[in-house]
């Protein structure tokens, strides 16, 4: 038998061929990395406790009309399926739903059951299991985790940076045509100051909650409600306010569309606390929200296909109306998922129904999905955040809250 002895030229040729194979094998990985780098995420916080039964009324639930009374929207709602519809002011969201680019999450809540705006917003934005457990926001920690592997910038829209984007990572902020409102900023500064004070922290929260309810009892009766970004009394109701809201969404899209623009963004919309005259107040606020989302969609253009938007609130409202044409602080609410990257499908999570035995504490929509699971699902499937980091860093000690799957 004659042994084959490779020549130097043959070895070089073989090595070159092997190197070429490695390069070809690496192409899909690089392409995949490039696709991940294009992905964008926007979180919209609707402050005040947005009523999920108005956002996505369960018109097919046999208990809905009796519980809601004059607040029932069955005749005017925009149908989604045999059970759910959308509020009549959410026309752009409805069009996206019909195109497979919007889904509802009808019974979602944070792990904390507080019905205080300030405590519930703290848990929503920090991603912790309990109130005042940390001083940084889960979205900032998500950006910190992502930044270990690629360049990720974040932007907040509004006069003050929301807690959800505060933390170690420096983020940009932009306010649409206004300077920082010192009067509005003072409660936030005080909450930061007394966050870890076991006596003064809760006392301040109770005082601010009482002040908010007093304002609602007067301003809410004429449909004004709390002022909101992009407008004051009755913001979102007229053509000028609608144009401003759409412009706000388009402005955010413009930042995110720029080369090297932010990958992650957060925006807060106020005025969803509907203790009185809920029908008029929510029609105004949801029209404003719809216009912001429409502006974001149209403004992103081709980049919409790489985007997921999550719309969430700190808690829902009572299933039954109160005596002033409104609803009081509740538990589970409805979140919205939108975006061209979204996987088409029905509702996200499970619907507990509105049967009396199914209501939480005989008053609220019962939560069937942990809000952290929803956020985790988007972060792991769309933004490629490591699962271990999600369970331990982004949402501390949250391994039991598994990411919602098949979202994108």
């Amino acid at each position: 038998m004659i042994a084959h002895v490779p020549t130097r030229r043959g070895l070089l040729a073989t090595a070159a061929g092997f190197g070429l194979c490695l390069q070809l094998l690496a192409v899909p990985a690089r392409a995949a990395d490039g696709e991940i780098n294009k992905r964008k995420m926007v979180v919209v916080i609707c402050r005040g406790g947005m009523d999920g039964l108005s956002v996505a009324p369960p018109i097919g639930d046999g208990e809905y009309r009796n519980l809601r009374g004059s607040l029932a929207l069955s005749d005017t709602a925009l149908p989604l399926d045999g059970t759910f519809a959308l509020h009549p002011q959410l026309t752009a969201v409805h069009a996206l739903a019909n195109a497979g680019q919007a889904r509802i999450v009808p019974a979602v809540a944070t792990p904390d059951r507080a019905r205080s705006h300030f405590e519930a917003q703290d848990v929503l934005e920090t991603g912790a299991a309990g109130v005042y457990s940390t001083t940084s926001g889960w979205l900032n920690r998500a950006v910190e985790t992502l930044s270990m592997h690629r360049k990720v910038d974040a932007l907040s829209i509004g006069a003050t940076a929301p807690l959800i984007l505060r933390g170690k990572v420096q983020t940009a902020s932009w306010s649409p045509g206004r300077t920082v409102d010192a009067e509005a900023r003072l409660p936030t500064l005080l909450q930061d100051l007394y966050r870890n004070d076991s006596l003064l922290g809760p006392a301040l929260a109770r005082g601010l909650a009482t002040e908010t309810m007093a304002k609602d009892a007067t301003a809410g009766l004429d449909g004004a409600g709390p002022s909101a970004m992009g407008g004051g009394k009755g913001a979102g109701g007229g053509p000028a306010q609608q144009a401003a809201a759409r412009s706000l969404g388009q402005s955010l899209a413009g930042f995110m569309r720029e080369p090297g623009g932010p990958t992650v963004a957060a925006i807060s919309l106020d005025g969803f606390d509907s203790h009185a005259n809920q029908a008029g107040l929510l029609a105004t606020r949801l029209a404003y929200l719809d216009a912001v989302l429409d502006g974001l969609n149209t403004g992103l253009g081709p980049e919409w296909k790489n985007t997921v938007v999550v719309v969430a609130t700190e808690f829902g409202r009572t299933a039954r109306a109160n005596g002033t044409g409104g609803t009081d602080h509740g538990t589970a609410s409805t979140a919205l998922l939108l975006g061209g990257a979204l996987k088409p499908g029905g509702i996200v999570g499970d619907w507990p129904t509105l049967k009396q035995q199914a209501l939480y504490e005989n008053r609220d929509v019962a939560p069937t999905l942990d809000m952290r699971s929803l956020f985790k699902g988007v972060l792991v499937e769309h933004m490629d955040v490591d699962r271990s980091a999600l369970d331990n860093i982004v949402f501390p000690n949250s391994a039991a809250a598994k990411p919602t799957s098949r979202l994108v």
Side-chain angles (χ1 to χ4, degrees):
M1 183 177 71
I2 300 175
H4 175 69
V5 180
T7 64
R8 179 175 179 274
R9 179 176 295 177
L11 285 171
L12 290 174
T14 301
F18 181 66
L20 178 61
C21 288
L22 287 178
Q23 290 176 21
L24 290 174
L25 287 171
V27 168
R30 288 200 196 100
D33 288 344
E35 290 302 313
I36 289 173
N37 290 336
K38 293 178 183 177
R39 296 175 187 176
K40 303 179 187 301
M41 180 178 180
V42 179
V43 179
V44 181
I45 300 176
C46 295
R47 300 187 186 278
M50 184 171 66
D51 180 38
L53 294 179
S54 291
V55 172
I59 57 176
D61 190 303
E63 305 297 324
Y64 170 69
R65 290 172 181 81
N66 288 334
L67 279 174
R68 287 267 122 169
S70 62
L71 294 179
L73 295 166
S74 52
D75 295 334
T76 57
L78 307 171
L80 290 174
D81 57 28
T83 302
F84 290 97
L86 285 173
H87 190 282
Q89 292 295 336
L90 294 174
T91 55
V93 175
H94 188 246
L96 287 170
N98 287 337
Q101 297 178 11
R103 298 172 69 180
I104 63 169
V105 192
V108 65
T110 64
D112 187 79
R113 296 293 175 259
R115 295 188 180 100
S116 157
H117 291 297
F118 307 100
E119 292 182 3
Q121 286 178 22
D122 180 273
V123 174
L124 172 69
E125 296 185 73
T126 62
V131 67
Y132 305 141
S133 300
T134 181
T135 57
S136 62
W138 65 261
L139 193 55
N140 188 285
R141 296 194 297 272
V143 171
E144 180 183 5
T145 300
L146 288 169
S147 296
M148 296 177 182
H149 308 287
R150 61 184 189 269
K151 184 179 183 296
V152 177
D153 292 322
L155 172 72
S156 67
I157 302 295
T160 61
L163 174 58
I164 193 172
L165 265 182
R166 294 187 213 165
K168 293 180 182 178
V169 177
Q170 185 175 0
T171 62
S173 62
W174 175 77
S175 182
R178 64 167 65 177
T179 57
V180 173
D181 185 342
E183 184 179 352
R185 177 67 173 141
L186 181 59
T188 304
L189 291 171
L190 290 174
Q191 287 181 83
D192 289 345
L193 180 63
Y194 297 129
R195 180 177 300 279
N196 297 317
D197 191 305
S198 60
L199 178 63
L200 295 178
L204 175 64
R206 287 193 297 270
L208 291 172
T210 301
E211 182 184 22
T212 298
M213 291 184 68
K215 289 180 179 178
D216 289 344
T218 55
L221 289 173
D222 63 2
S227 63
M229 181 179 10
K233 181 175 179 179
Q241 289 81 9
Q242 290 294 294
R246 192 164 287 103
S247 176
L248 179 63
Q250 290 173 339
S251 295
L252 173 55
F255 286 118
M256 302 190 79
R257 203 177 57 238
E258 286 291 324
T263 303
V264 171
I267 179 171
S268 297
L269 302 179
D270 299 327
F272 289 88
D273 200 11
S274 52
H275 288 286
N277 190 28
Q278 177 170 296
L281 185 148
L282 279 188
T284 293
R285 299 311 302 136
L286 291 176
Y288 191 88
L289 170 64
D290 191 69
V292 170
L293 296 173
D294 185 45
L296 182 59
N297 170 27
T298 57
L300 281 171
E303 292 303 315
W304 178 252
K305 71 178 184 296
N306 300 315
T307 303
V308 171
V309 182
V310 186
V311 180
T313 190
E314 69 264 32
F315 50 59
R317 317 292 300 188
T318 50
R320 300 178 183 89
N322 60 26
T324 58
T327 53
D328 299 317
H329 298 176
T331 308
S333 187
T334 296
L336 297 174
L337 283 176
L338 311 96
L342 199 65
K343 185 185 293 292
I347 71 168
V348 177
D350 298 315
W351 176 238
T353 79
L354 295 175
K355 294 177 181 177
Q356 183 171 340
Q357 62 269 28
L359 295 179
Y360 180 75
E361 297 184 348
N362 192 34
R363 68 194 296 277
D364 305 334
V365 175
T368 62
L369 182 65
D370 190 319
M371 187 80 76
R372 295 171 300 176
S373 293
L374 177 64
F375 294 144
K376 281 184 176 184
V378 176
L379 287 171
V380 72
E381 291 188 350
H382 183 58
M383 302 303 293
D384 200 35
V385 177
D386 177 72
R387 174 67 189 277
S388 177
L390 280 177
D391 292 343
N392 298 292
I393 299 173
V394 181
F395 299 96
N397 304 312
S398 67
K402 300 184 184 304
T404 305
S405 60
R406 297 185 294 277
L407 297 179
V408 298

